[in-house]
DNA sequence: ATTTATACTTACCGAAAAGAGAGTGTGGAC
DNA sequence: GTCCACACTCTCTTTTCGGTAAGTATAAAT
């Protein structure tokens, strides 16, 4: 496929109002951050997770960020948070249908990134090499 | 479609190594920011743009951010930057095939967001209302 | 001689995000 | 009585982000 024909395909997408554009952009950048995506991935695979489980699965995250990210996802209707009134506390998270839909939509980007990350790394090396020769 | 069957679909995706996971996550969060997405959209529509044109099309952006974002995109191989040695300077940007591929992959997310932003806003209202009653 | 156009680059500053690490509540095991 | 488990929550510090505004280079137009 050439750049030209691919672009023609893309051009046929429906135009949207600038207002919707802004909303959509805001939602995407809200949702397309590192931890949110990782959590969506984990919750897609595991169905239902406790806080500590997510904490261990999401290596590198701090408790603070995990709480914050989960709260934002709950607020946006992507996950449900179920608290069991027991001691020690037990809280379960799972994706809603909305969250699963997003997970599916992201698959395209995920696949693209998987298929092309070597190209990107090569581009970065080329760029660095070019910069060095100047 | 139920949550269960949708999840089953998603589960059939190939597993990837944690290393690739990290790379892919890094690339996506690199690429999924507000300005990069907007620029990809504009360049998908307009094919070829000068700096000033992008500056005007991307309302709200500062010159600094525009330069920075374009440089990052160039570094990642998403756009080409062509400098014409004339005065006043003339520089043209256009998406590479890699950039167009990303544009296409993001369409899915874009469509999802377009189709569901009202649901998200409703979820946010519900969440705010619930928080207020406590 | 001065202004204009273009595409930056640089310096500075405040705001916002994020990490580290300690603290909290409570019931049951020891 | 003490400790542990779990899911936070709070504070403090560091890092990063992003905006403003000024500066640069140069040829042509006035």
């Amino acid at each position: 496929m050439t750049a030209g024909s691919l672009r023609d395909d893309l051009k046929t997408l429906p135009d949207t109002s600038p207002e919707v554009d802004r909303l959509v952009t805001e939602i995407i950048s809200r949702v397309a951050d590192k931890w949110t995506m990782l959590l969506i991935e984990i919750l897609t695979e595991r169905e239902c997770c406790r806080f500590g489980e997510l904490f261990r699965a999401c290596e590198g995250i701090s408790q603070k960020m995990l709480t914050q990210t989960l709260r934002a996802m709950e607020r946006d209707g992507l996950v449900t948070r179920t608290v069991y009134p027991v001691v020690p506390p037990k809280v379960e998270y799972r994706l809603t249908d909305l969250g699963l839909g997003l997970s599916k939509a992201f698959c395209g980007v995920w696949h693209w990134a998987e298929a092309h990350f070597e190209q990107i790394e090569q581009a970065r090396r080329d760029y660095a090499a070019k910069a060095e020769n100047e």
Side-chain angles (χ1 to χ4, degrees), chain A:
Chain A
M1 169 134 47
T2 67
S5 68
L6 179 49
R7 192 192 312 277
D8 288 343
D9 286 354
L10 293 170
K11 272 188 177 167
T12 62
L13 294 170
D15 284 337
T16 51
S17 73
E19 192 198 347
V20 171
D21 259 29
R22 268 191 310 97
L23 272 167
V24 167
T25 308
E26 188 266 329
I27 286 166
I28 293 178
S29 56
R30 169 51 268 292
V31 125
D33 87 302
K34 186 178 170 185
W35 300 125
T36 303
M37 288 195 315
L38 245 182
L39 287 172
I40 286 179
E41 218 203 335
I42 294 166
L43 286 167
T44 300
E45 277 167 18
R46 306 228 218 185
E47 201 129 336
C48 181
C49 282
R50 297 184 59 176
F51 184 87
E53 212 178 329
L54 291 172
F55 187 60
R56 282 182 297 276
C58 233
E59 66 172 304
I61 200 171
S62 63
Q63 284 194 332
K64 182 185 157 186
M65 281 311 293
L66 180 54
T67 307
Q68 221 171 84
T69 307
L70 285 169
R71 283 291 189 293
M73 291 172 76
E74 193 196 353
R75 178 176 117 89
D76 289 344
L78 302 175
V79 297
T80 56
R81 176 169 177 270
T82 313
V83 182
Y84 298 90
V86 295
V87 168
K90 178 176 173 183
V91 179
E92 280 182 352
Y93 295 90
R94 68 172 69 219
L95 288 180
T96 60
D97 284 357
L98 192 61
L100 277 166
L102 175 59
S103 174
K104 202 179 179 190
F106 253 119
C107 276
V109 184
W110 196 266
H111 286 325
W112 174 87
E114 237 168 70
H116 296 96
F117 74 93
E118 282 169 13
Q119 243 177 297
I120 290 176
E121 298 208 296
Q122 185 58 51
R124 286 180 182 176
R125 279 192 296 273
D126 294 350
Y127 188 86
K130 218 184 69 190
E132 217 158 287
N133 295 341
E134 273 152 35

